[in-house]
Structures are given as structure tokens and as C-alpha cells.
Amino acid sequence: MTSIGGAEMVDWNLAVATATRFVRPGPDVSRDEARAVVAELRRHAKASEEHVRGFTRMIPEGHEPQDTPVLVVDRAGWVKANVAGFRELLKPLLDKMQERRSASPGGAMLGAVGGKVTGVELGMLLSFLASRVLGQYETFAPATRELPAGDPAESGSGGGRLLLVAPNIVHVERELEVDPHDFRLWVCLHEETHRTQFTGVPWLRDHLEGEIQSFLGETEVDPMTVLERFREAAQSLSGARPEGEEDESGRSIVELVQTPTQREILSRLTAVMSLLEGHADYVMDGVGPDVVPSVAEIREKFQQRRARGASRLDQALRKLLGLDAKLRQYRDGERFVRSVVEEVGMDGFNRVWTSPNTLPTKAEIAKPADWVARVHRKTES
């Protein structure tokens, strides 16, 4: 990355060091217990492939999509993987901000300090998230020696990898007091659905990356504005914001949207993410009754946990990071998938994966019948 005097816009190594230092310790488990959890998650991840493929019918019979690794990681491993992904995906935006900073008065001084400040603040945010994520399919993950990814040569684009965060899964299963073996398989079903989405739909990864890069290319945000957003989040995390003081902007980091073009792109991205998350929720519950005996209890308790949230601090950070929007994506997307499948069946729903033109719009996520009318009537006419 271009830099001034060797200073990057974000000190990525410092972000990793900060996050791993401040992340909460995981639940108490013995070495033997930890090994057993890791082994079981790997078994469940493998078993989930067959369950998800059979239920979704996204992978044609006889076709074997690109293989991507399943990695069972701790919280520090999740941090390292996400920093690598952020660094890759945000490079165009940070390069643009770097150019603006170099042309401004005092840019060199900001370069010496700003990268470390942002690294610390990004690390604080990651330390918060690292104890909450159960699993994640990393679509844009660059392969490293510690964290392998799918072979880009096989897919024609970037690789990917599935992360399962073992200590967080154990923490939640204990908190909910559910059967741990059922819960681990239930989580794997959700995450394997995401892996199937991207390995079974060859154009999806490149389409998403193109949308994200178009969004970043339109960004006209002053570097100090972004730094201020990170600072607000870090203050919330540390409790530095006075108890009675409200966030004046009320905006999340994602809502630094300035142009009409950005708003259009964000609307399309929101629709796609709602589809992907809702589809994963629908699949995990659809497969669940056959392979997860206590799926009804798990779903009920997990939904209550989602809705309940946590402390005022947790709620403030959720809003700032846009996580409240992500919870809406689960709900709205699942409702869309369920409505479409009920009307046209699973094969009819799978037309959504035909091309970018058959993806639902944000309005169609809210009104599934409009998507059915557009895609199916157009195809049948």
C-alpha cells in the first residue's frame, strides 16, 4: 500500500495486536475438551455438505464445485483472518484516502500518527466482534501460511474459506443450555449454506466484489471523518462516552453514504446480503428436524438471544457497526425465501441464482410476490 514516510493509513499489524490483547477470554475448557470440540465441528462441517446440497438442490448431480477449506479457529485466528480480508478488500478506498491525505497540509504528520491510531481503534472493534461471531464464510480471503483458502486458479477468481469459531460456539451453547452436539451441527448447517452459495454459484463472488468496489470507488469521505467514526466506536467500547451523552449523528459506519450512486449500490448489496443470510437461516431450519433433534428448542432460544441483545454498550456498538441492520437481514431474507419456496417450490426459488438480473431487489425482499411475478412470468412468457 502506498504510504507517506512508510506509514500506512491503517497499521494492520497493530490492529491484530490490539484485538488479540483486548479480546475476552473464551470459556473454560480442558485441552482434551477443546480437541473434542474441534474434531466434532470438523465432522459436522463435512456432514453438513451432504445435508445442505440435498436440501437446496443448488449443486447439479455429478458436479463437484471448487473445494474450499474449513478452519476451526479461536478468537485470535478469527481476528487475523478478518484483518487480512479487510486489507485486501479496502485497499482501493485506503489508497484513495492516502492520496487525499498526501495532498493536504500536514499530511506527513497525519501519516505518522493516523495509521497507528486507526490500527488501535480497528483492533478494539475487532476485539468486540471476535467474541460474538460463531462462523463465517470468508468470500474474499487471501490465502496465508496460517490460514489457507480455496485455490483461485480453480474458481477463476479469489478463493474462500469457512471459519468456525470454536470458543464462541461453546460459549453460546452453554449460555442457552442446549444440547451441545445438536447446536454445533445447527451452526455448521448455516455456515455450510454460505459455502454452498459461493461455490455453487460461480458468478456470485465476482458480482459481489464488483458491487463493493464500485461502492468504494464512489466514496468521497475525508479521512478524518472515518477516523472520527472509529473513535466513536472505540469510546463506546471503553465506556469513554459519558452516560448521558447520545450519539449525535445516530449513524453507523456503513452509513457514510454520500452519493445517489452509492445509495443505489448499497440498496442492491443489502438485498443480496438479506437473501444470503435468510437463505442460510431457512436451510438450517429446513434440514434441522431430520438431523438435529432439538432444533425447535435451539431456534427458539437463539431467536430470544438475538432479540434480547445485551447491555446498553452492546446496543450502541451494534448500531454503530451496522449489526442491527444485519439482524433485520436474517429476518427479512428468511421470510422472502420461505414465501418464494411455498409459492414456486425449491427449484423455482433456485432461479434466483441464474444471474445478477434474477437477484431480488430490496423492494422485492419485502414483497416476494413481486420477485415471483418478475422472474417466473417473464421466463414462462
Side-chain angles (χ1 to χ4, degrees):
M1 188 181 298
T2 56
S3 61
I4 303 172
E8 295 183 349
M9 282 292 297
V10 180
D11 188 328
W12 299 104
N13 292 332
L14 185 57
V16 171
T18 301
T20 53
R21 178 183 176 187
F22 286 99
V23 71
R24 296 176 183 175
D28 290 329
V29 294
S30 69
R31 182 171 297 182
D32 288 343
E33 287 175 316
R35 287 173 178 163
V37 170
V38 170
E40 183 174 18
L41 287 172
R42 286 177 176 155
R43 289 196 305 271
H44 284 331
K46 184 63 180 175
S48 294
E49 286 185 31
E50 183 178 348
H51 295 317
V52 170
R53 292 180 187 185
F55 184 81
T56 65
R57 301 200 289 273
M58 289 180 64
I59 309 295
E61 206 168 315
H63 174 71
E64 192 61 32
Q66 176 205 9
D67 186 36
T68 54
V70 176
L71 307 179
V72 182
V73 298
D74 58 12
R75 291 169 178 176
W78 180 87
V79 167
K80 291 175 183 176
N82 276 265
V83 166
F86 287 155
R87 187 172 191 169
E88 185 80 10
L89 196 60
L90 296 178
K91 186 177 185 300
L93 173 61
L94 295 180
D95 281 348
K96 186 175 183 178
M97 293 169 63
Q98 186 84 42
E99 291 173 7
R100 175 178 292 189
R101 187 178 68 182
S102 64
S104 65
M109 183 177 295
L110 182 60
V113 178
K116 292 192 178 300
V117 171
T118 310
V120 168
E121 291 171 344
L122 177 60
M124 293 294 290
L125 296 184
L126 289 172
S127 72
F128 168 79
L129 294 172
S131 62
R132 285 160 171 76
V133 177
L134 301 182
Q136 173 185 359
Y137 185 75
E138 279 203 293
T139 315
F140 308 106
T144 66
R145 186 172 60 182
E146 291 181 328
L147 297 164
D151 184 357
E154 291 184 20
S155 64
S157 60
R161 59 184 168 228
L162 179 60
L163 304 180
L164 297 169
V165 191
N168 296 350
I169 293 172
V170 172
H171 171 80
V172 174
E173 70 192 26
R174 290 179 177 179
E175 178 187 333
L176 298 182
E177 298 181 334
V178 294
D179 183 281
H181 309 293
D182 284 1
F183 183 75
R184 293 166 196 173
L185 177 54
W186 189 70
V187 170
C188 287
L189 289 170
H190 181 102
E191 303 307 333
E192 175 58 34
T193 303
H194 286 316
R195 188 163 75 134
T196 299
Q197 290 163 349
F198 284 95
T199 58
V201 183
W203 54 265
L204 184 58
R205 188 246 183 225
D206 287 343
H207 171 70
L208 264 183
E209 183 179 30
E211 291 278 62
I212 292 170
Q213 294 304 337
S214 295
F215 180 88
L216 296 178
E218 285 283 324
T219 300
E220 293 293 343
V221 178
D222 182 82
M224 294 308 298
T225 304
V226 177
L227 287 174
E228 183 59 31
R229 283 290 176 271
F230 279 125
R231 190 163 294 112
E232 289 173 3
Q235 287 175 348
S236 295
L237 186 61
S238 65
R241 184 184 299 279
E243 181 68 25
E245 183 180 333
E246 298 295 331
D247 181 358
E248 293 180 1
S249 67
R251 296 184 297 174
S252 74
I253 291 172
V254 176
E255 292 172 320
L256 291 170
V257 179
Q258 303 296 324
T259 70
T261 300
Q262 277 188 311
R263 284 189 281 273
E264 291 176 10
I265 297 170
L266 187 60
S267 176
R268 294 196 297 268
L269 283 171
T270 299
V272 173
M273 297 312 297
S274 296
L275 169 68
L276 298 180
E277 296 293 357
H279 183 235
D281 263 14
Y282 177 80
V283 171
M284 72 195 297
D285 287 343
V287 174
D290 292 332
V291 297
V292 182
S294 59
V295 64
E297 177 192 2
I298 290 173
R299 165 55 76 187
E300 181 181 0
K301 290 184 174 180
F302 196 76
Q303 289 286 62
Q304 290 174 354
R305 182 179 186 270
R306 273 183 181 172
R308 185 171 62 246
S311 64
R312 179 177 179 273
L313 167 62
D314 191 62
Q315 292 170 355
L317 275 166
R318 282 180 180 274
K319 180 172 181 59
L320 186 60
L321 298 175
L323 297 183
D324 52 345
K326 185 175 178 65
L327 295 179
R328 289 195 297 274
Q329 288 171 2
Y330 285 112
R331 183 187 65 238
D332 297 344
E334 195 275 341
R335 186 184 301 124
F336 169 84
V337 175
R338 184 175 300 279
S339 297
V340 172
V341 172
E342 287 176 354
E343 186 165 348
V344 297
M346 184 63 75
D347 291 333
F349 165 78
N350 280 340
R351 289 188 187 180
V352 78
W353 312 117
T354 305
S355 75
N357 293 329
T358 56
L359 291 172
T361 65
K362 190 176 179 181
E364 288 170 342
I365 288 289
K367 295 184 177 180
D370 290 353
W371 180 87
V372 172
R374 175 173 68 86
V375 172
H376 282 264
R377 289 178 188 173
K378 184 176 179 180
T379 305
E380 293 163 2
S381 61

